[in-house]
Amino acid sequence: MSAIRALRQLSFTSSRALAARSATRTAARSMLAARVAPAVASRAFSVSARRLGEGASDVALAQRLGEELKYENEAAAPAEPEFLKAFKAQGTWAIEDTAGMDEVTLIRKFGNEDIRLIFSIADIQSEQEPEFEEGEEAAENEESEAPLHSYPIRCSFSFTKAGASGALTIDAMCQEGTFVIDNISYYNDAKVGTELTAEADWKRRGYYLGPQFDTLDVSLQDEFDKFLQERGINQTLAYFVPEYAEHKEQKEYVSWLKNVKDFVEA
């Protein structure tokens, strides 16, 4: 079972830049359509030119994918952008990122604790940009700039200790340079609280998830904030999460283009 989806059962470039990138992709597709269409007209119905089992639309589709792949590769940022180099140089968190998966895991040691953070790029993919009626966009642009990394990304933290059998888990939203805590749960069995399996997920459904964080006494909320800050769960990390999510989403998109193109052409 997907890690972030299993943990959800327990319960940043800016968004303006993300919208711009999506708009650029759409514009690129429109330009490609204009360039590819004439070539397709002369070849789409040429049965003799097609291999056995190849559809009439395969050539056009593969060409479109190839054009967009070329565009994305030419516009691509360095393989390891500066923000990622700086984050790794701090040596606090290790990044576990598997190509083809939509989840990212950050892990670190803090004293006798093992801390894990999981987030998903699916939150970027599902985020809907607001639509403007004609004439409204100009008025919107006159307002203040949107805050950096304004789109929310769900995060799941887990804390375990070498000398303890239990586990603490925290569900939070990462947005605008901060982590907004939803709830804090405790499990007597660390495996139940942290394992990313269907069996563990099923067991968690019957557990008490803890109170809503914002209903706790303010002084208690402050102490939990200090607890997290001391462990490096701070503004720096809250800015890194959406920035890395967008970086990974772009890499996965380029890989998707290549894989689909290779499949169509096979």
Side-chain angles (χ1 to χ4, degrees), residues 12-19 129-130 132 140-151 175-176 239:
F12 258 101
T13 334
S14 65
S15 59
R16 196 176 294 271
L18 181 62
E129 292 297 326
F132 295 98
E140 177 71 14
N141 290 336
E142 292 177 0
E143 297 179 2
S144 59
E145 289 291 323
L148 188 63
H149 306 314
S150 61
Y151 48 88
Q175 186 174 18
E176 299 178 13
Y239 276 123

Side-chain angles (χ1 to χ4, degrees), residues 119-154:
F119 60 92
S120 171
I121 65 174
D123 287 329
I124 288 183
Q125 296 168 340
S126 62
E127 178 70 11
Q128 297 296 319
E129 292 297 326
E131 296 181 358
F132 295 98
E133 296 293 336
E134 186 176 356
E136 289 184 3
E137 186 170 2
E140 177 71 14
N141 290 336
E142 292 177 0
E143 297 179 2
S144 59
E145 289 291 323
L148 188 63
H149 306 314
S150 61
Y151 48 88
I153 294 181
R154 183 170 294 279

Side-chain angles (χ1 to χ4, degrees), residues 234-255:
N234 50 25
Q235 186 181 62
T236 299
L237 184 63
Y239 276 123
F240 174 80
V241 167
E243 198 163 13
Y244 189 84
E246 188 170 319
H247 169 67
K248 177 175 173 61
E249 192 276 336
Q250 177 64 16
K251 289 195 304 179
E252 295 298 340
Y253 174 64
V254 172
S255 178

Side-chain angles (χ1 to χ4, degrees), residues 20-31:
R21 190 181 68 196
S22 299
T24 302
R25 287 179 181 170
T26 302
R29 293 188 186 96
S30 299
M31 290 187 291

